[in-house]
Structures are given as C-alpha cells and as structure tokens.
Amino acid sequence: SFDIVLSSDVFEHIPKPYLAHREVYRILKKHGCHIFTAPFSPNQTKDDNRAFVNKENKIINIKTPIYHLDGIRPKKGALVFNVFGQEMLSKLKKIGFRVSVQTLFKPFRGILGNGAIVFIAQKN
C-alpha cells in the first residue's frame, strides 16, 4: 500500500479512467492521497468522452482527435480519450475518495499556466 500516488496529465489518455482511479484507490493506504492533474472544464457537467476502445481493441474517435505531446511518439502524440467535467468529481466520490481542488500558479515550483488545477483525492 502507498501513502501517495502522483500523476500529472495521465488519466485523460486512459480509455477507461475510472477503472484506473479504482485501482489507485485500492493500492492507497487508509487516508492516502492521489494527487493529480488532468484536463478539466469546471463549467462542464459531463466528461467530454472523445474516443473509446471497442471490443475488437480498435480505437474509435467520437470527436476530432486531440493529441498531447509525447516523448515516446513525438510525431503523433498521445490521444486524449477524455476531458473531464464535474462528473469526474462525483465519480471519484462514488469510488470512495474525498476530493479537493486546488488552483495553483507557482512558477518557481514548476506549476505553470494560468491557474493550474490540481486534484487531491484522499481515501477515506
């Protein structure tokens, strides 16, 4: 079991992110935290599901694909499956997390951008 799991802009690239969140919950110690960042639209009620993997293990794009920079695949990038909305917070609570949201801008600590959103999901 772990006290802390850190991830930065990873969960949007996972076809079924809530299965991954459940796994993080499983491996955390009681009161452990998953501290993470992910694309989030606070004014959006539902997650923006952009792609999925079908039964034949083929990626199906629902919307125009978005790719993030990827050091492993620099020419193509990493496909974004989801951009999260308020739905993410309720689904994390159903898994068992207590979730807080921090808006940070601390360039000297590597937190760049205009109000980077950091999620702290604590196991109850």
Side-chain angles (χ1 to χ4, degrees), residues 16-57:
K16 294 182 179 179
Y18 298 106
L19 290 178
H21 281 294
R22 281 188 200 96
E23 183 63 12
V24 170
Y25 185 86
R26 185 187 71 78
I27 67 168
L28 281 171
K29 290 181 181 176
K30 187 174 184 178
H31 305 297
C33 291
H34 179 206
I35 301 170
F36 68 99
T37 59
F40 182 72
S41 296
N43 297 327
Q44 187 173 292
T45 306
K46 298 284 186 181
D47 293 344
D48 180 14
N49 301 308
R50 307 192 58 81
F52 68 94
V53 177
N54 69 10
K55 291 180 181 179
E56 290 79 35
N57 222 18

Side-chain angles (χ1 to χ4, degrees), residues 40-103:
F40 182 72
S41 296
N43 297 327
Q44 187 173 292
T45 306
K46 298 284 186 181
D47 293 344
D48 180 14
N49 301 308
R50 307 192 58 81
F52 68 94
V53 177
N54 69 10
K55 291 180 181 179
E56 290 79 35
N57 222 18
K58 182 179 177 191
I59 294 172
I60 306 297
N61 289 301
I62 303 167
K63 299 181 179 178
T64 303
I66 298 173
Y67 293 91
H68 288 170
L69 293 176
D70 183 355
I72 297 171
R73 296 174 295 264
K75 290 183 182 179
K76 186 170 184 175
L79 178 65
V80 173
F81 284 88
N82 298 285
V83 174
F84 300 100
Q86 293 293 327
E87 178 180 8
M88 178 183 73
L89 302 177
S90 62
K91 285 188 174 185
L92 292 176
K93 288 177 185 174
K94 285 181 184 175
I95 290 170
F97 285 112
R98 186 175 71 231
V99 183
S100 64
V101 182
Q102 303 288 322
T103 304

